[in-house]
């Protein structure tokens, strides 16, 4: 929510999914060797707004939609917790809810990632903060919450992008620069 799809508040129905413009083009432009991993807070589960099964149905739909366009999502990790939730066992403080970095640590371990070569793209500062905790660079997009809301006001992203398309173009430019410098 906020980066790939419009954040219309606790999306849990397929008919409510609305991709941002150029999301497909942006993801199609990513090198096929790149691992695309989604890490998302889903507090609606803890708050009783929707069930985990509904989230998984929406997730599976989005992944299938991307696959039809030649886009492979390597993995998706979600945090169903919220300390102010009303549904046990999800109403807890946890180490996976961003800005905590538990899901980032898990992704790094399970996919043998080098954090210095990874990027976090998020619409909330807590997304960037969670990545920074483990040494991942971050791009804040102006879509969704556009950097408002959540904790992490003390962070400075590596770049502020208009949207996902702009963020990916920035990363690709950074990679080209690094290649040039390595050739010297």
């Amino acid at each position: 929510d906020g980066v790939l799809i419009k954040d219309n508040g606790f999306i849990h129905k397929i008919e409510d999914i609305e991709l941002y413009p150029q999301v497909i083009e942006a993801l199609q432009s990513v090198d096929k060797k790149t691992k695309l991993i989604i890490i998302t807070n889903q507090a609606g589960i803890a708050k009783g707004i929707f069930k985990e099964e509904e989230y998984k149905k929406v997730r599976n739909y989005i992944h299938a939609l991307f696959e039809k366009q030649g886009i492979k999502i390597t993995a998706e990790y979600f945090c169903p917790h919220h300390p102010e939730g009303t549904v046990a066992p999800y109403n807890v403080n946890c180490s996976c809810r961003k800005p905590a970095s538990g899901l980032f640590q898990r992704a790094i371990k399970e996919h043998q990632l080098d954090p210095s070569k990874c990027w976090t793209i998020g619409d909330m500062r807590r997304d960037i903060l969670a990545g920074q905790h483990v040494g991942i660079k971050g791009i804040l997009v102006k879509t969704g919450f556009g950097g408002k809301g959540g904790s992490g006001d003390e962070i400075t992203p590596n770049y502020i992008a208009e949207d996902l398309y702009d963020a990916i173009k920035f990363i690709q430019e950074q990679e080209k620069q690094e290649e040039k410098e390595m050739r010297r």
Side-chain angles (χ1 to χ4, degrees):
D1 302 358
V3 177
L4 300 172
I5 61 174
K6 291 189 179 178
D7 191 340
N8 297 321
F10 297 111
I11 294 175
H12 59 282
K13 295 180 182 164
I14 290 170
E15 59 267 19
D16 294 335
I17 297 170
E18 186 179 353
L19 291 176
Y20 280 113
Q22 294 188 296
V23 164
I24 298 295
E25 297 89 340
L27 294 175
Q28 286 174 331
S29 76
V30 174
D31 186 305
K32 299 297 179 214
K33 295 179 280 185
T34 299
K35 294 179 181 181
L36 298 173
I37 298 173
I38 298 171
I39 297 177
T40 177
N41 287 348
Q42 292 296 322
I45 297 169
K47 293 180 177 185
I49 297 168
F50 55 92
K51 296 187 181 316
E52 192 171 331
E53 297 77 33
E54 291 173 289
Y55 156 74
K56 288 179 179 177
K57 190 175 184 181
V58 166
R59 175 196 65 196
N60 294 342
Y61 175 83
I62 292 170
H63 286 228
L65 180 71
F66 288 155
E67 283 217 21
K68 286 179 189 171
Q69 300 296 324
I71 301 160
K72 173 81 171 105
I73 302 299
T74 305
E76 181 161 338
Y77 300 95
F78 73 101
C79 171
H81 308 112
H82 196 284
E84 297 169 14
T86 57
V87 179
Y90 305 114
N91 56 343
V92 296
N93 239 336
C94 64
S95 63
C96 62
R97 181 173 173 73
K98 296 178 285 183
S101 61
L103 294 178
F104 285 80
Q105 293 168 1
R106 183 174 162 201
I108 289 166
K109 182 178 179 184
E110 290 181 6
H111 299 282
Q112 298 86 45
L113 303 175
D114 175 351
S116 71
K117 295 181 180 177
C118 296
W119 290 86
T120 297
I121 301 171
D123 69 320
M124 296 183 88
R125 291 187 178 274
R126 69 172 157 220
D127 300 325
I128 307 311
L129 184 59
Q132 286 180 346
H133 285 311
V134 293
I136 296 176
K137 298 176 288 280
I139 297 176
L140 191 64
V141 292
K142 293 181 182 177
T143 53
F145 279 89
K148 297 176 182 76
S151 59
D153 287 338
E154 66 280 9
I155 66 102
T156 302
N158 295 79
Y159 182 66
I160 298 176
E162 291 299 317
D163 54 19
L164 179 66
Y165 188 85
D166 183 28
I168 289 176
K169 292 301 172 204
F170 176 80
I171 292 169
Q172 291 168 337
E173 283 301 314
Q174 294 298 301
E175 289 172 347
K176 285 180 189 174
Q177 290 289 75
E178 288 174 17
E179 281 181 35
K180 281 182 186 177
E181 290 176 21
M182 287 174 56
R183 289 185 196 148
R184 290 183 187 173

